[in-house]
Tab-separated table of all heavy atoms in Angstrom:
chain	number	residue	atom	x	y	z
B	252	LEU	N	5.191	45.941	-1.857
B	252	LEU	CA	4.926	44.510	-1.753
B	252	LEU	C	5.126	43.902	-3.121
B	252	LEU	O	4.460	44.289	-4.097
B	252	LEU	CB	3.466	44.243	-1.264
B	252	LEU	CG	2.986	42.786	-1.298
B	252	LEU	CD1	3.864	41.904	-0.421
B	252	LEU	CD2	1.533	42.698	-0.871
B	253	ASP	N	6.074	42.958	-3.188
B	253	ASP	CA	6.398	42.306	-4.467
B	253	ASP	C	5.498	41.107	-4.624
B	253	ASP	O	5.855	39.979	-4.269
B	253	ASP	CB	7.888	41.895	-4.449
B	253	ASP	CG	8.259	41.193	-5.747
B	253	ASP	OD1	7.538	41.350	-6.754
B	253	ASP	OD2	9.279	40.475	-5.746
B	254	ALA	N	4.293	41.338	-5.127
B	254	ALA	CA	3.306	40.268	-5.274
B	254	ALA	C	2.491	40.473	-6.512
B	254	ALA	O	2.411	41.586	-7.058
B	254	ALA	CB	2.394	40.252	-4.043
B	255	GLU	N	1.853	39.381	-6.960
B	255	GLU	CA	0.824	39.485	-8.014
B	255	GLU	C	-0.465	39.764	-7.294
B	255	GLU	O	-0.918	38.965	-6.476
B	255	GLU	CB	0.726	38.163	-8.761
B	255	GLU	CG	1.918	37.834	-9.640
B	255	GLU	CD	1.963	38.668	-10.920
B	255	GLU	OE1	0.875	39.116	-11.346
B	255	GLU	OE2	3.054	38.899	-11.440
B	256	PHE	N	-1.090	40.917	-7.572
B	256	PHE	CA	-2.441	41.177	-7.065
B	256	PHE	C	-3.396	40.832	-8.174
B	256	PHE	O	-3.444	41.524	-9.192
B	256	PHE	CB	-2.594	42.633	-6.623
B	256	PHE	CG	-3.876	42.863	-5.913
B	256	PHE	CD1	-3.907	42.947	-4.509
B	256	PHE	CD2	-5.074	43.004	-6.591
B	256	PHE	CE1	-5.118	43.141	-3.831
B	256	PHE	CE2	-6.272	43.179	-5.915
B	256	PHE	CZ	-6.284	43.277	-4.548
B	257	ILE	N	-4.098	39.732	-8.023
B	257	ILE	CA	-4.943	39.224	-9.138
B	257	ILE	C	-6.405	39.611	-8.868
B	257	ILE	O	-7.022	39.141	-7.907
B	257	ILE	CB	-4.784	37.709	-9.289
B	257	ILE	CG1	-3.309	37.374	-9.567
B	257	ILE	CG2	-5.683	37.173	-10.380
B	257	ILE	CD1	-2.984	35.912	-9.680
B	258	THR	N	-6.904	40.499	-9.736
B	258	THR	CA	-8.326	40.888	-9.581
B	258	THR	C	-9.183	39.815	-10.248
B	258	THR	O	-8.825	39.225	-11.255
B	258	THR	CB	-8.596	42.234	-10.260
B	258	THR	OG1	-8.093	42.186	-11.593
B	258	THR	CG2	-7.898	43.362	-9.515
B	259	VAL	N	-10.314	39.564	-9.634
B	259	VAL	CA	-11.189	38.485	-10.077
B	259	VAL	C	-12.641	38.981	-10.095
B	259	VAL	O	-12.914	40.074	-9.629
B	259	VAL	CB	-11.083	37.253	-9.113
B	259	VAL	CG1	-9.809	36.497	-9.363
B	259	VAL	CG2	-11.199	37.712	-7.644
B	260	GLU	N	-13.525	38.137	-10.652
B	260	GLU	CA	-14.905	38.554	-10.794
B	260	GLU	C	-15.796	38.057	-9.661
B	260	GLU	O	-16.975	38.378	-9.621
B	260	GLU	CB	-15.442	38.109	-12.151
B	260	GLU	CG	-16.079	36.738	-12.214
B	260	GLU	CD	-15.182	35.596	-11.837
B	260	GLU	OE1	-13.950	35.791	-11.792
B	260	GLU	OE2	-15.668	34.508	-11.543
B	261	SER	N	-15.211	37.275	-8.740
B	261	SER	CA	-16.041	36.734	-7.625
B	261	SER	C	-15.146	36.175	-6.561
B	261	SER	O	-13.963	35.913	-6.787
B	261	SER	CB	-16.938	35.629	-8.146
B	261	SER	OG	-16.193	34.433	-8.362
B	262	GLU	N	-15.743	35.916	-5.404
B	262	GLU	CA	-14.978	35.279	-4.309
B	262	GLU	C	-14.632	33.828	-4.628
B	262	GLU	O	-13.622	33.337	-4.178
B	262	GLU	CB	-15.786	35.344	-3.015
B	262	GLU	CG	-15.850	36.723	-2.371
B	262	GLU	CD	-16.950	37.593	-2.938
B	262	GLU	OE1	-17.652	37.149	-3.882
B	262	GLU	OE2	-17.136	38.715	-2.459
B	263	HIS	N	-15.520	33.173	-5.383
B	263	HIS	CA	-15.191	31.785	-5.741
B	263	HIS	C	-13.860	31.749	-6.506
B	263	HIS	O	-13.026	30.894	-6.278
B	263	HIS	CB	-16.347	31.211	-6.590
B	263	HIS	CG	-16.245	29.721	-6.834
B	263	HIS	ND1	-15.431	29.186	-7.788
B	263	HIS	CD2	-16.844	28.669	-6.233
B	263	HIS	CE1	-15.528	27.859	-7.763
B	263	HIS	NE2	-16.386	27.524	-6.849
B	264	SER	N	-13.679	32.725	-7.400
B	264	SER	CA	-12.461	32.796	-8.160
B	264	SER	C	-11.275	33.254	-7.307
B	264	SER	O	-10.161	32.772	-7.463
B	264	SER	CB	-12.616	33.753	-9.337
B	264	SER	OG	-13.608	33.250	-10.229
B	265	ALA	N	-11.546	34.183	-6.383
B	265	ALA	CA	-10.451	34.652	-5.498
B	265	ALA	C	-9.887	33.487	-4.709
B	265	ALA	O	-8.670	33.296	-4.613
B	265	ALA	CB	-10.978	35.728	-4.535
B	266	ALA	N	-10.781	32.668	-4.168
B	266	ALA	CA	-10.318	31.509	-3.396
B	266	ALA	C	-9.614	30.500	-4.300
B	266	ALA	O	-8.612	29.884	-3.940
B	266	ALA	CB	-11.483	30.842	-2.670
B	267	SER	N	-10.132	30.349	-5.547
B	267	SER	CA	-9.501	29.405	-6.477
B	267	SER	C	-8.122	29.876	-6.864
B	267	SER	O	-7.196	29.065	-7.023
B	267	SER	CB	-10.362	29.258	-7.715
B	267	SER	OG	-11.649	28.745	-7.388
B	268	VAL	N	-7.940	31.165	-7.005
B	268	VAL	CA	-6.629	31.714	-7.365
B	268	VAL	C	-5.621	31.441	-6.266
B	268	VAL	O	-4.502	30.962	-6.505
B	268	VAL	CB	-6.718	33.238	-7.639
B	268	VAL	CG1	-5.337	33.890	-7.620
B	268	VAL	CG2	-7.394	33.480	-8.982
B	269	VAL	N	-5.990	31.710	-5.001
B	269	VAL	CA	-5.016	31.481	-3.932
B	269	VAL	C	-4.807	29.964	-3.725
B	269	VAL	O	-3.704	29.576	-3.358
B	269	VAL	CB	-5.419	32.167	-2.593
B	269	VAL	CG1	-5.315	33.678	-2.746
B	269	VAL	CG2	-6.766	31.747	-2.082
B	270	LEU	N	-5.814	29.161	-4.009
B	270	LEU	CA	-5.610	27.702	-3.943
B	270	LEU	C	-4.522	27.297	-4.930
B	270	LEU	O	-3.543	26.641	-4.556
B	270	LEU	CB	-6.910	26.958	-4.241
B	270	LEU	CG	-6.935	25.434	-4.192
B	270	LEU	CD1	-8.348	24.907	-3.949
B	270	LEU	CD2	-6.382	24.768	-5.466
B	271	GLY	N	-4.692	27.686	-6.174
B	271	GLY	CA	-3.716	27.290	-7.201
B	271	GLY	C	-2.336	27.878	-6.941
B	271	GLY	O	-1.317	27.183	-7.074
B	272	ALA	N	-2.316	29.129	-6.498
B	272	ALA	CA	-1.028	29.767	-6.214
B	272	ALA	C	-0.332	29.095	-5.051
B	272	ALA	O	0.880	28.822	-5.093
B	272	ALA	CB	-1.226	31.248	-5.944
Side-chain angles (χ1 to χ4, degrees):
Chain B
L252 172 60
D253 179 20
E255 291 285 334
F256 189 101
I257 300 177
T258 52
V259 284
E260 89 299 345
S261 75
E262 286 85 357
H263 190 280
S264 297
S267 299
V268 163
V269 292
L270 181 157

